[in-house]
Amino acid sequence: MTDDWFERVQYSWFQKFIINCVCSGSLPKHVAFIMDGNRRFAQVKDITRSESYAMGFDKIGEILDYCETFSIRYVSVYAFSNENFKRSEEEKAELFSLMSDKMNYLLSKIDKLHEKGIRINVLGDITLFPAHITKTMAQLELETLHNTEFCLSLCLAYTSRDEITTSVNCMAQGVAQGKLRVTDINETLLNSCLYSEDLPPVDMLLRTSGEVRLSDYMMWQANFAALQFVKVLWPDFGFWHLIGSLLDYQRQEPLLTEHRETYKPFLEKMTKSELAAVAHSEHCSLKSHEECHFNEAVTEVYVECHQRRTEQFVSELKGERRVLLEQCAQLTVAGA
């Protein structure tokens, strides 16, 4: 294993010139990648699947260096979908073996991760993996939890539908346990219950291989993202492909920002109106028609109570997920 992940890319003078030109425009804060085309790359290059997947992993390190150059601080990669569990036992064994090797490699380079300020964030249900992989993933996330320069989110045992379903189930349990009211549930709370709750929205979602579909990936977070479908297999993705995608992002960005800024006050107004209606309903249900004198003060009290409930619930949910992560990091692995 080489230190490819931590070796800086050496740019030519012309590349540096292009970098300066691109950096003069708006750039995404969060880029999400669908790393498609590893198996086709193996067929084209007449190499094994394992070799192709290994090259795909090394490509992530290269991409991180590019993103650092453009001050893109949040990168998410679709590393293993829940659908991948349906692949043959032989291929899953290859993937799990590679995953274990690469996670252990990163864990062995923890000093490098701290030096560069890289946080490894795992999104998905990691308990679905073999215990030794789950343990390493949890250790890696906990070890880098306080790094703040750069965040790499590895989406493993992940689909967008599963993430949203998990979020809804969490809120339903909160209502059942008396921690929430049904009227507390809204878009803002659902977003706070996602795996990705502490990440900014996806600004650009890029898929390699030429396939034009999202494959159930970050569909909530990419609501206002620029979509890029690049006709190159993931291990072949390089500097100029990213440059082309960033230039197209800059072309789309003004309209996307306009839509985003238009939606934000609409959401705030809608949430405020919903809370006011609930406050009015609850206030007047406790009094006779003659006694029901509803005003803004009632709404303010209700909104404050709503905020306290939801903030407490989200805080407890984060605590529970942290405990689960710590338990996974302490798993006893057979044969270890």
Side-chain angles (χ1 to χ4, degrees):
M1 172 66 73
T2 65
D3 284 350
D4 288 346
W5 257 57
F6 304 102
E7 291 180 0
R8 293 305 304 265
V9 175
Q10 299 300 313
Y11 297 109
S12 68
W13 70 267
F14 184 64
Q15 287 176 318
K16 291 177 182 177
F17 171 74
I18 295 298
I19 289 169
N20 288 332
C21 291
V22 174
C23 285
S24 66
S26 58
L27 291 167
K29 295 178 182 177
H30 184 182
V31 177
F33 291 90
I34 300 177
M35 307 181 295
D36 195 18
N38 286 297
R39 289 189 291 180
R40 274 171 282 173
F41 182 82
Q43 293 172 348
V44 171
K45 300 295 183 180
D46 194 25
I47 59 177
T48 66
R49 282 193 308 243
S50 293
E51 289 174 316
S52 180
Y53 283 128
M55 292 174 68
F57 174 84
D58 291 337
K59 179 62 64 174
I60 298 174
E62 181 184 327
I63 295 302
L64 294 187
D65 200 61
Y66 294 151
C67 289
E68 182 181 351
T69 299
F70 291 104
S71 299
I72 300 169
R73 295 183 55 229
Y74 296 90
V75 171
S76 299
V77 295
Y78 205 3
F80 194 94
S81 164
N82 283 344
E83 296 299 312
N84 293 148
F85 285 110
K86 298 177 182 178
R87 292 188 178 180
S88 69
E89 293 300 320
E90 178 187 3
E91 186 170 0
K92 283 191 294 183
E94 290 177 2
L95 288 168
F96 291 159
S97 176
L98 179 69
M99 200 178 296
S100 178
D101 289 345
K102 300 306 184 181
M103 291 295 172
N104 281 310
Y105 163 71
L106 289 178
L107 201 55
S108 73
K109 299 296 181 182
I110 198 68
D111 290 341
K112 286 282 189 180
L113 291 170
H114 289 321
E115 179 185 325
K116 294 176 74 69
I118 299 175
R119 173 191 170 196
I120 304 296
N121 188 33
V122 183
L123 307 183
D125 186 359
I126 63 173
T127 62
L128 297 176
F129 290 106
H132 66 286
I133 296 177
T134 297
K135 181 175 183 176
T136 309
M137 288 177 183
Q139 289 174 333
L140 194 55
E141 181 165 354
L142 289 170
E143 286 283 351
T144 61
L145 193 61
H146 301 294
N147 292 346
T148 57
E149 290 300 312
F150 195 94
C151 181
L152 170 64
S153 295
L154 302 174
C155 297
L156 296 156
Y158 174 94
T159 63
S160 191
R161 284 176 297 177
D162 178 69
E163 181 181 27
I164 294 170
T165 301
T166 299
S167 181
V168 171
N169 284 338
C170 287
M171 293 186 293
Q173 291 174 11
V175 172
Q177 295 167 358
K179 298 177 181 180
L180 293 174
R181 296 182 181 181
V182 173
T183 51
D184 289 329
I185 296 175
N186 56 29
E187 184 176 328
T188 302
L189 180 59
L190 193 153
N191 188 71
S192 297
C193 296
L194 296 172
Y195 297 137
S196 60
E197 51 82 22
D198 60 343
L199 300 179
V202 173
D203 298 305
M204 183 172 83
L205 190 151
L206 188 153
R207 180 178 188 134
T208 56
S209 84
E211 294 289 338
V212 183
R213 49 195 170 90
L214 299 181
S215 294
D216 206 359
Y217 178 53
M218 288 202 160
M219 295 169 68
W220 180 278
Q221 298 87 340
N223 188 28
F224 293 106
L227 303 181
Q228 302 290 327
F229 300 100
V230 185
K231 293 183 179 181
V232 62
L233 304 178
W234 173 250
D236 275 336
F237 185 84
F239 174 80
W240 294 109
H241 300 107
L242 182 60
I243 290 293
S245 296
L246 290 175
L247 289 173
D248 193 58
Y249 167 81
Q250 292 176 344
R251 178 186 64 81
Q252 298 183 53
E253 190 271 338
L255 185 59
L256 292 170
T257 298
E258 180 184 338
H259 289 327
R260 190 181 296 115
E261 293 304 314
T262 301
Y263 181 69
K264 190 183 300 182
F266 167 76
L267 176 60
E268 292 173 353
K269 182 178 179 181
M270 182 175 67
T271 302
K272 186 174 181 180
S273 298
E274 289 174 349
L275 291 174
V278 172
H280 180 275
S281 176
E282 292 193 1
H283 177 72
C284 292
S285 67
L286 301 175
K287 301 179 180 296
S288 66
H289 180 71
E290 292 75 15
E291 296 175 316
C292 181
H293 301 292
F294 183 73
N295 54 47
E296 289 188 6
V298 176
T299 299
E300 289 177 5
V301 170
Y302 182 85
V303 169
E304 288 177 7
C305 292
H306 162 80
Q307 289 176 338
R308 281 198 299 271
R309 280 193 305 272
T310 53
E311 288 173 3
Q312 178 66 24
F313 174 75
V314 171
S315 176
E316 290 179 7
L317 180 61
K318 288 182 181 180
E320 291 170 4
R321 288 178 175 174
R322 174 67 179 271
V323 168
L324 176 60
L325 204 60
E326 291 171 346
Q327 290 173 343
C328 288
Q330 299 299 322
L331 283 173
T332 301
V333 179

